[in-house]
């Protein structure tokens, strides 16, 4: 049986739609009354695990789920050994460095050395500032990162930006982009190699969807 | 809080230890029959030896605080290869060696800090054979070992096989820089990043076909021959599979040739393989191996004779996979020797010795029992099957 790890939250609805188009119907997980964390597909060929965003690559890397859907931002942050298979296109956002609008900084390299940078994505931030050769002190926050520069905890933040509205409403501005992120279909490399056709059929249906959406 | 073992360190209970011994013994008997001699490589090695093959990164080694750079072995092949090239260099080739022992791997724990993983391994190394005959012996021995371990169809064993020279054929049309990148992406099965590579479309299409190509060895070899023409590596592989396919089939083991399969290590430079079984919730790699001539050369081997192949079983993973029935119980009977107040411990110990001489497993209840009834109640508590009562 195929096991699929799906992230609760913003990506869930589109993930379920993509899998439904590939022949695996997990719409039961969208039922507001659903409290089950392991839900079988209508056809009985597969089951979905409902997990937190950051846990999707963990379930896939350990082989407990053969497939999963997760944002590229999470893959970059967690660096787990999972195979990236298809860019699903939804859940688009960008990882960016943002500062107070009034700070006068125009690009990340303008930040003073050893300044504090707040982020949930400390691995991505560390990689970015190391590439810039700019030493910074990273402050790990688990949410409402925008408060960092506003309260003085940090000079800048590294965070996901979708529309930019939250930044604007909190007097912040994005000055540099680290990367664009979209939802990715990922797989367990060893399971993909051992597959006797079950996973290949699902992946072919996903690719067909991808092709059709490009043609449209 | 009570003192706990370090994260990742093995702390086995008696049944697990017995099962490990039983599995190691079964493997040792097969290795010995095939003419392999046991060696016991050191657990502590110089970092230069451990990293000689280019397969192990410094962060994977548990470093020791010492005057010179030392570490605990993360695998045994490098140490055995060093011994083969130094102390055992005068021994005639082919040199057949086997070893069993613990290895230590350093990993970054999810919660931060270092986690040391300790695992029991058992494996063989065959030095000094350049020809494909080495691979033929190695894979035949692997299959015989599986038979001894009673790994069969129930566990859905599969041997995944790749070859670094097939990978080289795939990568041939690319520049050196592209080769490194594409090889990494093929090994990681990163289809998406491959699709986005900025290389000629026809070459890219071929590479994307290769990431999907795997299956029955002789079918895949024919496909590869059509693509690349005849080559020594494909002919050699054909010979290997013609020999081992019937052996594998007889044991319910499936073989799969996968041109883009290579363990992450740069250790191997020829045939590479992994034995994978279906675990309770995910596939488990029970053994891995291949050809590692470059490691032998780096260990100081004579360049004209620097050849090595080997494999290693992960005993702990096999123990967890196999059901209880596979552990032979040497002593099905365990006797409890108990005595009353009118008899002595000395007498009980003498009785125990006579049991042992008869080949029986027996333990002594060290304090006297009030009566036989009390001693009978202790049989189950002490994990015994029968009672020898010394009383009036």
């Amino acid at each position: 049986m195929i096991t699929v790890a799906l992230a609760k939250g913003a990506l869930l609805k589109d993930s379920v739609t993509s899998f439904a188009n590939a022949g695996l119907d997990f719409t039961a997980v969208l039922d507001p009354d659903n409290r089950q964390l392991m839900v079988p597909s209508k056809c009985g060929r597969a089951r979905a695990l409902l997990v937190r965003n950051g846990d999707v690559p963990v379930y896939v890397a350990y082989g407990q789920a053969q497939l999963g859907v997760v944002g590229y931002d999470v893959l970059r942050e967690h660096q787990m050994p999972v195979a990236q298979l298809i860019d699903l296109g939804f859940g688009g956002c960008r990882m960016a460095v943002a500062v107070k609008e009034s700070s006068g900084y125009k690009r990340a390299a303008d930040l003073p050395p050893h300044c504090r940078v707040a982020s949930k994505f400390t691995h991505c931030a560390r990689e970015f500032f190391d590439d810039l050769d700019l030493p910074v002190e990273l402050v790990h926050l688990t949410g409402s990162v925008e408060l960092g520069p506003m309260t003085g905890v940090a000079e800048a933040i590294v965070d996901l930006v979708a529309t930019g509205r939250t930044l604007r409403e909190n007097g912040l501005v994005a000055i540099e982009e680290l990367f664009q992120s979209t939802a990715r279909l990922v797989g367990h490399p060893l399971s993909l190699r051992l597959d006797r056709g079950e996973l290949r059929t699902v992946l072919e249906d996903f690719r067909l969807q991808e092709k059709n959406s490009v043609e449209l | 809080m009570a003192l706990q073992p370090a994260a990742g360190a093995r702390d086995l209970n008696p049944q697990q230890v017995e099962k490990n011994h039983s599995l190691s013994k079964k493997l040792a008997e097969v290795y010995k029959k095939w003419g392999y001699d046991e060696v016991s490589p050191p657990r502590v090695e110089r970092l230069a030896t451990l990293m000689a093959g280019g397969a192990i990164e410094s962060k994977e080694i548990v470093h020791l605080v010492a005057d010179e750079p030392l570490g605990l072995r993360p695998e045994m092949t490098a140490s055995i290869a060093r011994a083969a090239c130094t102390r055992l260099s005068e021994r005639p080739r082919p040199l057949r060696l086997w070893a069993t022992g613990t290895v230590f791997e350093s990993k970054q724990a999810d919660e931060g800090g270092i986690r040391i993983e300790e695992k029991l391994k058992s494996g063989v190394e065959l030095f000094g054979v350049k020809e494909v005959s080495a691979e033929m012996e190695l894979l035949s021995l692997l299959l015989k070992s599986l038979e001894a371990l009673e790994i069969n169809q129930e566990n859905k064993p599969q041997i995944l096989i790749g070859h670094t020279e097939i990978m080289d054929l795939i990568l041939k049309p690319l520049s050196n820089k592209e080769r490194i990148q594409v090889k990494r992406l093929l090994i990681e099965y990163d289809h998406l990043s491959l699709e986005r590579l900025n290389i000629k479309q026809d070459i890219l299409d071929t590479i994307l076909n290769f990431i999907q190509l795997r299956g029955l060895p002789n079918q895949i070899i024919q496909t590869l021959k059509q693509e690349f023409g005849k080559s020594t590596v494909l002919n050699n592989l054909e010979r290997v599979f013609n020999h081992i396919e019937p052996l594998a089939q007889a044991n319910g083991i499936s073989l799969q040739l996968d041109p883009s399969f290579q363990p992450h290590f740069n250790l191997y430079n020829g045939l590479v393989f992994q034995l994978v079984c279906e675990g309770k919730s995910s596939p488990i790699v029970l053994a891995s191996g291949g050809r590692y001539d470059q490691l032998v050369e780096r260990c100081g081997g004579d360049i004209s004779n620097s050849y090595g192949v080997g494999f290693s079983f992960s005993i702990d993973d096999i123990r967890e996979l196999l059901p209880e029935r596979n552990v032979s119980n040497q002593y099905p009977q365990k006797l409890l020797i108990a005595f009353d107040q009118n008899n002595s411990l000395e007498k009980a110990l003498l009785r125990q010795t006579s049991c042992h001489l008869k080949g029986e497993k027996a333990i002594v209840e060290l304090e006297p029992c009030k009566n036989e009834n009390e001693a009978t109640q202790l049989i189950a508590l002490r994990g015994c099957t029968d009672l020898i009562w010394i009383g009036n």
Side-chain angles (χ1 to χ4, degrees):
Chain A
M1 182 183 268
I2 302 171
T3 305
V4 174
L6 298 178
K8 294 179 194 172
L11 300 181
L12 186 61
K13 201 175 160 196
D14 287 326
S15 305
V16 169
T17 309
S18 296
F19 270 102
N21 292 338
L24 299 178
D25 190 340
F26 298 119
T27 41
V29 303
L30 298 175
D31 182 347
D33 293 331
N34 174 57
R35 293 288 178 273
Q36 277 188 307
L37 298 173
M38 196 189 281
V39 180
S41 65
K42 267 188 186 164
C43 61
R45 274 195 301 145
R47 61 182 180 181
L49 307 178
L50 274 181
V51 299
R52 286 181 67 130
N53 211 11
D55 295 339
V56 171
V58 178
Y59 280 92
V60 177
Y62 282 94
Q64 261 68 31
Q66 290 88 48
L67 297 173
V69 176
V70 66
Y72 179 61
D73 52 302
V74 176
L75 294 176
R76 284 283 294 259
E77 180 63 18
H78 291 270
Q79 304 272 319
M80 299 294 282
V82 296
Q84 285 193 64
L85 301 170
I86 295 169
D87 184 345
L88 298 170
F90 57 81
C93 55
R94 59 201 170 103
M95 188 71 77
V97 181
V99 293
K100 269 165 91 169
E101 217 166 355
S102 57
S103 69
Y105 299 124
K106 300 289 176 210
R107 52 195 191 121
D110 293 343
L111 289 165
H114 306 290
C115 69
R116 285 195 295 259
V117 176
S119 186
K120 266 194 286 192
F121 301 89
T122 43
H123 190 272
C124 294
R126 171 61 61 211
E127 214 174 60
F128 174 75
F129 285 105
D130 281 356
D131 283 349
L132 271 186
D133 281 330
L134 182 69
V136 296
E137 182 190 336
L138 290 172
V139 180
H140 186 261
L141 295 178
T142 53
S144 304
V145 180
E146 294 80 3
L147 281 170
M150 291 165 68
T151 56
V153 160
E155 204 81 35
I157 61 168
V158 169
D159 204 13
L160 283 175
V161 182
T163 60
R165 192 177 150 193
T166 315
L167 289 183
R168 275 195 305 277
E169 288 185 359
N170 289 289
L172 303 179
V173 59
I175 54 169
E176 207 155 321
E177 186 181 299
L178 278 69
F179 55 82
Q180 292 275 345
S181 175
T182 44
R184 305 288 161 92
L185 179 70
V186 294
H188 178 235
L190 191 56
S191 296
L192 290 163
R193 291 190 189 279
L194 295 168
D195 174 44
R196 299 191 178 189
E198 263 186 317
L199 296 176
R200 183 178 282 209
T201 312
V202 176
L203 293 179
E204 277 167 5
D205 287 340
F206 263 100
R207 287 193 203 292
L208 202 65
Q209 269 185 68
E210 192 189 20
K211 204 176 153 194
N212 291 343
S213 67
V214 170
E215 280 169 5
L216 283 173
Chain B
M1 196 170 111
L3 294 174
Q4 298 291 331
R10 287 189 316 136
D11 191 11
L12 304 179
N13 64 38
Q15 288 83 3
Q16 290 170 315
V17 174
E18 198 172 331
K19 212 166 169 182
N20 277 2
H21 280 317
S22 158
L23 293 168
S24 304
K25 199 176 154 197
K26 282 179 185 175
L27 288 172
E29 269 162 25
V30 180
Y31 304 156
K32 283 180 199 166
K33 267 189 201 159
W34 284 60
Y36 284 73
D37 294 326
E38 185 178 8
V39 286
S40 177
R43 286 179 176 79
V44 177
E45 274 282 4
R46 289 197 169 88
L47 289 188
T49 304
L50 297 177
M51 294 164 70
I56 308 285
E57 286 183 50
S58 174
K59 66 178 181 188
E60 292 174 62
I61 298 172
V62 180
H63 293 246
L64 297 179
V65 178
D67 286 342
E68 56 181 326
L70 297 176
L72 294 177
R73 61 184 185 197
E75 49 90 42
M76 291 191 286
T77 302
S79 305
I80 300 174
R82 179 191 44 71
C85 297
T86 51
R87 279 186 303 118
L88 307 173
S89 63
E90 299 303 315
R91 295 262 299 260
R93 266 51 178 171
L95 179 62
R96 295 177 170 89
L97 302 172
W98 71 272
T100 184
T102 45
V103 297
F104 305 86
E105 204 177 320
S106 174
K107 286 190 173 171
Q108 188 79 37
D110 286 344
E111 66 274 22
I114 298 296
R115 174 187 161 87
I116 300 167
E117 266 190 18
E118 190 184 352
K119 285 191 165 179
L120 181 62
K121 300 273 182 174
S122 169
V124 299
E125 317 293 343
L126 169 60
F127 295 100
V129 185
K130 182 187 177 186
E131 291 73 23
V132 71
S133 47
E135 279 90 346
M136 288 173 76
E137 172 166 323
L138 190 72
L139 286 169
S140 306
L141 177 54
L142 179 79
L143 291 168
K144 272 288 159 206
S145 307
L146 294 179
E147 203 181 310
L149 292 172
E150 294 172 55
I151 290 177
N152 50 39
Q153 264 169 326
E154 276 172 43
N155 312 107
K156 298 191 178 161
Q158 268 199 67
I159 303 178
L160 298 188
I161 301 176
H163 201 296
T164 57
E165 285 178 37
I166 298 182
M167 184 72 97
D168 293 343
L169 290 173
I170 299 170
L171 302 175
K172 205 173 172 185
L174 301 167
S175 69
N176 279 344
K177 197 180 158 194
E178 287 168 342
R179 273 179 208 167
I180 296 168
Q181 192 185 12
V182 172
K183 184 177 172 182
R184 183 178 58 78
L185 296 176
L186 280 170
I187 291 170
E188 291 174 357
Y189 209 106
D190 191 342
H191 201 286
L192 186 59
S193 303
L194 279 172
E195 276 175 359
R196 292 179 171 178
L197 283 177
N198 189 19
I199 53 178
K200 276 188 189 170
Q201 193 58 45
D202 56 330
I203 299 176
L204 183 60
D205 288 343
T206 314
I207 288 168
L208 289 174
N209 280 337
F210 275 116
I211 203 172
Q212 307 285 358
L213 184 70
R214 61 185 57 82
L216 293 174
N218 282 324
Q219 283 178 12
I220 301 298
I221 289 172
Q222 293 317 315
T223 311
L224 292 170
K225 277 186 175 174
Q226 281 167 12
E227 183 70 33
F228 301 115
K230 283 185 179 174
S231 73
T232 314
V233 57
L234 296 177
N235 290 341
N236 282 341
L237 273 177
E238 203 164 20
R239 193 174 157 203
V240 170
F241 287 118
N242 284 340
H243 174 68
I244 65 162
E245 244 173 353
L247 299 175
Q249 221 168 24
N251 288 299
I253 296 161
S254 50
L255 300 174
Q256 177 170 292
L257 180 60
D258 186 338
S260 64
F261 167 72
Q262 244 182 61
H264 281 271
F265 299 146
N266 288 320
L267 175 70
Y268 299 110
N269 61 316
L271 188 95
V272 286
F273 58 85
Q274 275 186 344
L275 166 74
V276 188
C277 280
E278 205 168 270
K280 281 174 196 141
S281 56
S282 60
I284 304 172
V285 178
L286 297 187
S288 52
R291 180 173 277 278
Y292 50 81
D293 298 345
Q294 280 165 8
L295 170 68
V296 185
E297 199 181 314
R298 282 181 207 151
C299 284
D302 169 11
I303 292 175
S304 63
N305 201 15
S306 295
Y307 309 111
V309 295
F311 66 70
S312 169
F313 277 104
S314 182
I315 300 289
D316 297 296
D317 291 325
I318 298 171
R319 184 193 70 230
E320 293 305 315
L321 178 79
L322 292 182
E324 290 300 318
R325 66 171 167 78
N326 281 340
V327 181
S328 64
N329 192 353
Q330 198 184 345
Y331 299 105
Q333 205 183 24
K334 185 177 169 186
L335 305 169
L336 176 68
I337 302 169
F339 56 96
D340 66 7
Q341 306 275 7
N342 301 321
N343 286 282
S344 65
L345 174 65
E346 288 81 350
K347 206 169 173 181
L349 289 169
L350 283 173
R351 185 64 189 271
Q352 186 188 33
T353 308
S354 70
C355 288
H356 291 169
L357 286 172
K358 282 193 273 177
E360 291 168 335
K361 187 175 183 177
I363 62 166
V364 170
E365 182 63 26
L366 296 171
E367 296 300 323
C369 295
K370 281 182 198 154
N371 49 44
E372 191 172 353
N373 202 19
E374 189 195 52
T376 308
Q377 282 172 9
L378 288 173
I379 296 175
L381 190 68
R382 302 286 183 250
C384 294
T385 51
D386 291 295
L387 176 72
I388 295 178
W389 175 243
I390 305 173
N392 287 331

